[in-house]
Amino acid sequence: MIPVLLGVIVIMYTLIYITPGCPVRIQFGDAAPTEYVEQMRDELGLNDPFLMQLGRYVIGVVQLDFGNSFVTRRPVFDEIAARFPNTMQLAAMSVVLALMIGIPLGIISATKQYTIFDGGATFIGLLGVSIPNFWLGMLMIIFFAVDLRLLPPSGFSTPLHWIMPTIAIGASSAAIIMRMTRSSMLEVIRQDYIRTARAKGQKESTVIFRHCLRNALIPVTTVAGLQFGVLLGGAVLTETIFAIPGLGAYIVGAIGQRDHMIMIGGVLLIAIAFSFVNLAVDILYAFIDPRIRSQYR
């Protein structure tokens, strides 16, 4: 995890450093005197050499100091900590929804291969992958909030506010998990031990859920963990559309204001969360597959 996070810091800081635009000039406008702008740049350390700025930032991150926002002058960690729980909640609910939809559809599609059920599940999967989440979110706002007036169009304070953003951002993940579940189930269902279980007279439900699904869950778990990380970053547009006070919308606002510290801190926090999710997925393998668990005994 440490090399990954260091790589994220170096790449982000380098990209922001070479991007044209001065945050002080953007904040105070073109009418601000040049002497004042240069004085502010000196105070913020923006006139220091690149390696000095990068080294200072890395040392601060090690000490859990992400710097201060150029706009609000408040610590970046406090600004992000107030918004990151909403982004985590949205991503977690979307992954749970994707698993609840994708795994059953994948099982049905695999066990009813080349039937109308398989065709319908495959069509739903392709539809979910093809529809952009921001476009789906706008359609849902028009239909459910404007026309039917059933759901609030913005905000994230009540369960009613959670429905549309969760569906909008989780639809594509559900489709991906469905396709992976189908593919993995079809590979497992043709194995010799599945035929042996059926020959021994076990019920079909036991064969499917105890023998097939459990052995097919390793790649599905991997994809679910990756999708959680994707949703953390993909929530940027969804949070902007639904006016959710989350980290994604805050990063978008920081880009317009050239608030470097907020941009780097937000991306770094998403990378940290993504890394911990991948670690949790690796640990979860041992609980799913006894063969992996036996290696540590």
Side-chain angles (χ1 to χ4, degrees), residues 188-199 207 211-212 215:
V188 171
I189 210 169
R190 298 188 179 99
Q191 300 296 320
D192 293 338
Y193 61 85
I194 300 298
R195 286 192 290 267
T196 302
R198 285 172 173 160
V207 173
H211 298 288
C212 289
N215 286 279

Side-chain angles (χ1 to χ4, degrees), residues 27 31 38 62 84 107 120 128 138 153 161 173 181 199 237 251 259 269:
Q27 183 179 354
E38 290 299 320
V62 172
F84 190 61
I107 294 173
M138 290 187 289
H161 290 89
S173 296
T181 303
L237 291 176
I251 293 176
D259 197 339
L269 193 58

